Amino acid sequence: MIQAYYKSPYNDFILAHGDCFKLLGEFDFKFDMIFADPPYFLSNGGISLQSGKVVCVDKGDWDKGKSQEEMMVFNLEWLRLCRDKLKDNGTIWISGTYHNIFSVANCLTYLGYKILNVITWEKTNPPVNISCRYFKYATEFVIWARKMQKVPHKFNYDVMKSLNDGKQMTDVWRMPAIGRWEKTCGKHPTQKPLRLLVRMILASTDPGDWILDPFSGSSTTGIAANLCGRRFAGLELEEAFCKLSKARREEMEHHESYDCLISHIEDLCKLQDCSMIVREDMRGYIKTPF
């Protein structure tokens, strides 16, 4: 039985510390959705510009470069393990750049997933390309796939349409990278914006659903899930990031912090009344993954 590193007061946010390749085989639970931001394997001494300063982009040993063959083996294994944890009508979202996203797509197809969309996240505030030898990198990609080829998946079409002023939402999402309001407890080096996770969760889950993140980092997925009235289980290898996740979730218990997060996320502002009702409904006893 997995020992939880942290559980929120109402068990709607639980986190385990350890290697997801090991932990995924140690509990028997099916999730409605999985979000994964796996390593891009880019920590090879590169540089970038942040706040006007040239900085090294190395993230840590977990992001050290791999060969194409090694990357394929890595992606096949974690995607295979995750597929076993999805409900038959469940979906998975995987973020990446051109460095790893094609490997992920090939692995998804090989394992029997059905790719539904490839979302292009266009950043409204991309970093400068200091080499001046390429176009500025302003996009990342998110693959959305379902577990089964022929089992229908959840898609809250009407919600997405209402958030897009009554028009069908496209697969290009324009939104900024993380802001200062998302880093009050510290910052993960590959932290995704809450806006991005909130939209995925609203699109493909219902209130009360369970969401898994096998590479949890600072648990942006979990914060977004709870803001949307969903439940979260995360797995994280680095204890420092587990501590950061715990601090972020505990900060949410303060009404002013909770309201501040909501106020910065446009999609949630439009659904605030509904979200508040869902938050109250989550206070009963629930079965947890571990």
Side-chain angles (χ1 to χ4, degrees):
M1 185 66 180
I2 297 177
Q3 181 69 38
Y5 181 90
Y6 169 73
K7 287 188 177 185
S8 63
Y10 299 105
N11 288 338
D12 58 352
F13 181 112
I14 61 174
L15 183 65
H17 172 222
D19 187 336
C20 71
F21 286 85
K22 178 175 182 291
L23 295 178
L24 282 168
E26 295 187 2
F27 63 93
D28 184 20
F29 195 90
K30 301 293 185 182
F31 292 86
D32 301 280
M33 171 190 149
I34 296 174
F35 171 78
D37 187 18
Y40 297 1
F41 303 116
L42 292 178
S43 293
N44 303 307
I47 58 175
S48 183
L49 195 68
Q50 293 182 7
S51 303
K53 297 180 181 179
V54 176
V55 297
C56 178
V57 297
D58 284 2
K59 308 296 190 299
D61 289 342
W62 51 270
D63 192 50
K64 292 294 183 185
K66 290 183 182 293
S67 68
Q68 288 298 313
E69 293 76 15
E70 290 171 330
M71 188 185 301
M72 201 74 172
V73 169
F74 178 89
N75 287 328
L76 274 171
E77 182 60 11
W78 74 261
L79 283 166
R80 180 187 66 80
L81 292 166
C82 281
R83 193 168 189 270
D84 185 55
K85 300 304 174 187
L86 270 177
K87 293 180 179 178
D88 284 352
N89 68 337
T91 58
I92 184 169
W93 302 75
I94 308 109
S95 66
T97 61
Y98 73 88
H99 304 88
N100 72 327
I101 206 70
F102 302 113
S103 171
V104 168
N106 287 334
C107 292
L108 286 167
T109 302
Y110 178 83
L111 292 168
Y113 291 89
K114 179 180 175 61
I115 295 177
L116 303 169
N117 281 112
V118 179
I119 303 298
T120 299
W121 166 32
E122 182 186 355
K123 301 175 186 178
T124 57
N125 56 345
V128 172
N129 185 333
I130 60 176
S131 75
C132 300
R133 294 177 60 84
Y134 316 95
F135 296 108
K136 185 191 296 188
Y137 296 111
T139 60
E140 291 191 32
F141 307 101
V142 186
I143 295 177
W144 183 35
R146 72 186 189 198
K147 177 180 178 178
M148 307 294 287
Q149 290 284 332
K150 297 184 179 180
V151 177
H153 59 282
K154 293 180 183 179
F155 178 44
N156 295 320
Y157 171 83
D158 290 335
V159 173
M160 292 296 101
K161 189 174 179 180
S162 69
L163 293 175
N164 197 42
D165 300 322
K167 303 174 184 177
Q168 286 189 328
M169 187 171 287
T170 74
D171 58 2
V172 178
W173 298 354
R174 296 190 75 249
M175 56 183 69
I178 59 171
R180 292 182 180 179
W181 55 275
E182 300 180 76
K183 299 180 283 187
T184 54
C185 296
K187 180 180 178 294
H188 186 278
T190 62
Q191 188 170 327
K192 292 295 179 288
L194 278 165
R195 292 180 177 96
L196 186 66
L197 270 298
V198 161
R199 183 165 295 178
M200 297 178 209
I201 290 166
L202 291 175
S204 59
T205 63
D206 295 325
D209 279 357
W210 275 101
I211 298 165
L212 170 69
D213 189 333
F215 306 99
S216 187
S218 61
S219 295
T220 296
T221 307
I223 303 300
N226 287 177
L227 288 172
C228 295
R230 278 67 165 172
R231 302 179 173 110
F232 166 77
L235 311 175
E236 174 51 44
L237 180 62
E238 303 288 339
E239 187 173 8
F241 298 146
C242 289
K243 291 180 179 178
L244 177 54
S245 297
K246 180 175 181 287
R248 292 184 75 190
R249 182 58 183 81
E250 288 178 340
E251 184 181 54
M252 267 185 67
E253 291 299 310
H254 305 291
H255 287 294
E256 62 274 14
S257 298
Y258 178 88
D259 292 341
C260 178
L261 292 176
I262 293 284
S263 69
H264 279 93
I265 303 170
E266 293 81 356
D267 288 354
L268 283 181
C269 286
K270 296 178 181 179
L271 302 173
Q272 186 169 12
D273 291 341
C274 175
S275 297
M276 293 299 290
I277 293 171
V278 169
R279 193 180 189 217
E280 295 298 321
D281 289 344
M282 294 177 68
R283 297 191 172 202
Y285 171 78
I286 53 173
K287 179 183 177 183
T288 62
F290 48 84

